Amino acid sequence: MDKQDRYVVGITGASGAIYGVRLVQALLEAGHFVHLLISDAGWRVLKEELDWEVTKRQVAIEQAFGEQAPNIQYHPIQDIGASIASGSFRVKGMIIMPCSMGTLSAIAQGASDNLMARAADVMMKEDRPLIIVPRETPLHAIHLENMLKLSRMGVRIIPAMPAFYYRPQTLDDIINFLVGKVLDSMRIEHQLFTRWGETIE
């Protein structure tokens, strides 16, 4: 697969792990290769929200993504020597979905003490697309200040906020809308939701 088709996806301990899982599925279906990062808290949320068996992490990924799993490279969060920790390793962008406030803070402060924060730091220093999907409510001033700081550095902030103009009928519709907005921001074609002005079936 062409090296320009590689994306990094991070899943953290914020509620909404299904967003990250669906994003990985959409990228794989579009023919891209995914470098997957899951924080320790992210694994806990996958267990609590999606019933993933997390004691054997590689097996859990293979079970979740089936025949597409060979197009995923999973990196343990503490592997700071991984390929994606270096700016010389080319990827088209990184999405952290969902992003906890702890991870958001670490990135905003440049605290690259694990692979998630380091990979995000690489995106910024190499001027590559970085999208953060924060999932927290309510937000206090520190959360907002960290988002503003990153936004001023060119990071795209896409909060996990559903829309209803396309008349979603299922929870999947709502999940797909947010994943679609992320793909739009990465300029990746998809058919995950009905756009404004298009016919609603």
Side-chain angles (χ1 to χ4, degrees), residues 7-11 23 27 93-97 116 129-133 182-183 186 188:
Y7 289 87
V8 181
V9 175
I11 298 175
L23 173 64
L27 288 170
M94 178 176 182
I95 307 103
I96 304 177
M97 184 179 192
M116 185 87 68
L130 173 61
I131 295 175
I132 288 177
V133 181
V182 169
L183 295 178
M186 281 289 185
I188 298 173

Side-chain angles (χ1 to χ4, degrees), residues 103-177:
T103 297
L104 178 74
S105 176
I107 296 168
Q109 304 309 316
S112 301
D113 58 352
N114 63 44
L115 185 56
M116 185 87 68
R118 171 57 186 170
D121 193 67
V122 167
M123 294 300 109
M124 292 187 289
K125 80 182 186 70
E126 298 294 333
D127 196 27
R128 296 172 187 160
L130 173 61
I131 295 175
I132 288 177
V133 181
R135 221 305 308 158
E136 184 63 273
T137 191
L139 299 167
H140 59 59
I142 294 174
H143 299 155
L144 295 168
E145 287 170 357
N146 285 335
M147 289 184 209
L148 179 59
K149 184 175 184 179
L150 290 175
S151 179
R152 284 173 170 163
M153 294 179 66
V155 176
R156 183 65 59 88
I157 308 293
I158 303 180
M161 296 178 179
F164 296 93
Y165 62 81
Y166 65 104
R167 300 180 187 177
Q169 301 298 306
T170 66
L171 184 58
D172 276 351
D173 290 341
I174 293 173
I175 294 165
N176 285 338
F177 173 81

Side-chain angles (χ1 to χ4, degrees), residues 9-196:
V9 175
I11 298 175
T12 73
S15 182
I18 185 61
Y19 289 130
V21 172
R22 189 64 53 79
L23 173 64
V24 172
Q25 291 171 338
L27 288 170
L28 295 174
E29 288 167 3
H32 301 297
F33 189 92
V34 174
H35 289 265
L36 180 61
L37 285 165
I38 304 174
S39 69
D40 290 338
W43 281 108
R44 173 67 182 269
V45 175
L46 286 164
K47 176 178 171 33
E48 298 292 339
E49 295 185 351
L50 300 179
D51 295 321
W52 276 32
E53 173 51 64
V54 299
T55 56
K56 297 180 179 178
R57 296 181 173 183
Q58 186 62 46
V59 172
I61 291 168
E62 291 170 1
Q63 290 176 340
F65 298 105
E67 63 182 19
Q68 293 277 26
N71 292 321
I72 299 173
Q73 183 172 354
Y74 167 66
H75 300 278
I77 195 70
Q78 297 304 330
D79 184 10
I80 59 172
S83 56
I84 56 175
S86 172
S88 66
F89 186 79
R90 293 184 177 180
V91 299
K92 292 197 75 172
M94 178 176 182
I95 307 103
I96 304 177
M97 184 179 192
C99 184
S100 68
M101 293 301 101
T103 297
L104 178 74
S105 176
I107 296 168
Q109 304 309 316
S112 301
D113 58 352
N114 63 44
L115 185 56
M116 185 87 68
R118 171 57 186 170
D121 193 67
V122 167
M123 294 300 109
M124 292 187 289
K125 80 182 186 70
E126 298 294 333
D127 196 27
R128 296 172 187 160
L130 173 61
I131 295 175
I132 288 177
V133 181
R135 221 305 308 158
E136 184 63 273
T137 191
L139 299 167
H140 59 59
I142 294 174
H143 299 155
L144 295 168
E145 287 170 357
N146 285 335
M147 289 184 209
L148 179 59
K149 184 175 184 179
L150 290 175
S151 179
R152 284 173 170 163
M153 294 179 66
V155 176
R156 183 65 59 88
I157 308 293
I158 303 180
M161 296 178 179
F164 296 93
Y165 62 81
Y166 65 104
R167 300 180 187 177
Q169 301 298 306
T170 66
L171 184 58
D172 276 351
D173 290 341
I174 293 173
I175 294 165
N176 285 338
F177 173 81
L178 185 61
V179 172
K181 293 295 285 185
V182 169
L183 295 178
D184 281 352
S185 191
M186 281 289 185
R187 307 292 194 270
I188 298 173
E189 292 296 323
H190 67 88
Q191 301 293 325
L192 289 176
F193 62 84
T194 301
R195 301 178 185 280
W196 181 252

